[in-house]
Amino acid sequence: MSTKSEERMVSISADLHGAWVHPGGAWDGRAVLFLHGFADDMDSVGKLSRRLSEVLAEQGIASLRINFRGEGDYDRTDIDSTLDTRKADTEQAWAFVTRQPGVAAGRIGAVGWSLGATTAIVVGAEHPEWFRTMVVWASPTGDQWAAMASSETAQRALREGQASQEWPHWKTITTKRAFYESFRGVDVDASLARYPGAFLSVRGSLDHFTANESDFLNRAPGLPRESVILGGASHIFNVFEPETGHPARLLGLTSDWLQRTL
């Protein structure tokens, strides 16, 4: 029997697609759901999520990476998603994972990056029995509406229905009023307080999201809970500068955590 892992593209619904990675050889049913960041795709910037899925498969853990509807294309510039569509996609993706032969429903984890971290935490609060463990990379904290609506681009979109912003070295992104409105009343810290599973937060010390990491971590009621700050790392963990060691460190921390807690 081959021990090589298998990745296959899957349709979770008519508009929601992803990649299911099944470990080769022995497998005990553990699985992880990946939730990508804003305006990104299932492989994530620098293909970090894809790389992690490959590492996990080698360690006997299956995974599902999804492309959020209205958003999940690295080259897409016109964003039609909201937090509500992200939540619905996550719920459908979790249900898909549980239907896969051999999956242990009590041993499913989540990995979310940036806005994917918000999505994971909010869904984990609404469905506290779903995720045994969670890893968030560069997670927002606190009042998400206040943070999202404060920018000039958001204010323009709220007034005019949509607005575009150039992200240097990336692309010009157009967002809609509904995107921002969907974050009203969303407090990441309050949601984290309702998620009971194991929790790991990893962020770079140079992340543009500022956070009191100690206060954030203490919101998580489950055990174990840990936080790691990578000194000198950016919001994307310097993924295009592998010589910094940050991408490899991030993958190692995450895979080790999932092995211990899943």
Side-chain angles (χ1 to χ4, degrees):
M1 180 187 300
S2 171
T3 59
K4 183 176 176 58
S5 62
E6 174 192 5
E7 175 174 303
R8 60 183 174 91
M9 303 305 296
V10 295
S11 292
I12 297 153
S13 69
D15 302 313
L16 180 60
H17 309 286
W20 171 249
V21 181
H22 192 289
W27 176 48
D28 58 10
R30 293 176 295 169
V32 171
L33 177 58
F34 284 82
L35 305 175
H36 67 71
F38 171 66
D40 206 347
D41 64 21
M42 65 179 176
D43 288 346
S44 295
V45 59
K47 300 192 182 301
L48 268 187
S49 290
R50 181 171 186 168
R51 289 163 58 186
L52 178 58
S53 72
E54 293 168 352
V55 170
L56 294 178
E58 292 173 358
Q59 297 175 345
I61 299 175
S63 63
L64 176 67
R65 307 190 311 278
I66 62 171
N67 283 329
F68 284 111
R69 289 174 297 154
E71 187 179 350
D73 179 343
Y74 190 73
D75 295 322
R76 180 174 183 145
T77 59
D78 191 38
I79 303 303
D80 284 321
S81 66
T82 65
L83 181 60
D84 294 323
T85 64
R86 277 176 157 261
K87 286 165 54 180
D89 290 352
T90 303
E91 290 166 348
Q92 290 188 66
W94 180 87
F96 175 91
V97 171
T98 64
R99 293 195 300 269
Q100 302 313 295
V103 167
R107 304 188 73 183
I108 297 174
V111 174
W113 191 349
S114 192
L115 189 53
T118 295
T119 309
I121 292 170
V122 169
V123 171
E126 294 183 0
H127 304 281
E129 73 283 4
W130 278 11
F131 301 121
R132 181 169 181 167
T133 187
M134 183 182 297
V135 182
V136 295
W137 296 349
S139 178
T141 61
D143 185 338
Q144 189 82 79
W145 162 252
M148 297 290 287
S150 62
S151 73
E152 188 274 335
T153 301
Q155 290 297 312
R156 193 165 71 252
L158 290 166
R159 288 193 309 270
E160 303 172 10
Q162 68 178 48
S164 298
Q165 178 181 356
E166 180 182 358
W167 295 71
H169 312 297
W170 190 19
K171 58 186 176 183
T172 297
I173 298 174
T174 300
T175 44
K176 316 293 173 55
R177 179 186 292 121
F179 174 78
Y180 297 101
E181 291 283 3
S182 69
F183 292 93
R184 283 189 183 273
V186 175
D187 187 302
V188 179
D189 294 2
S191 291
L192 180 57
R194 301 197 304 274
Y195 161 70
F199 184 74
L200 171 65
S201 171
V202 187
R203 72 176 73 249
S205 66
L206 300 184
D207 194 335
H208 57 265
F209 285 161
T210 58
N212 184 323
E213 191 69 6
S214 171
D215 286 350
F216 179 56
L217 185 67
N218 286 336
R219 294 285 187 142
L223 293 173
R225 62 176 184 261
E226 295 180 14
S227 170
V228 178
I229 297 178
L230 299 183
S234 67
H235 184 71
I236 61 171
F237 300 96
N238 305 78
V239 67
F240 300 116
E241 303 169 282
E243 67 277 6
T244 63
H246 298 318
R249 178 69 172 144
L250 177 67
L251 296 181
L253 284 166
T254 305
S255 60
D256 289 349
W257 177 267
L258 292 170
Q259 282 288 355
R260 283 196 286 131
T261 61
L262 192 58

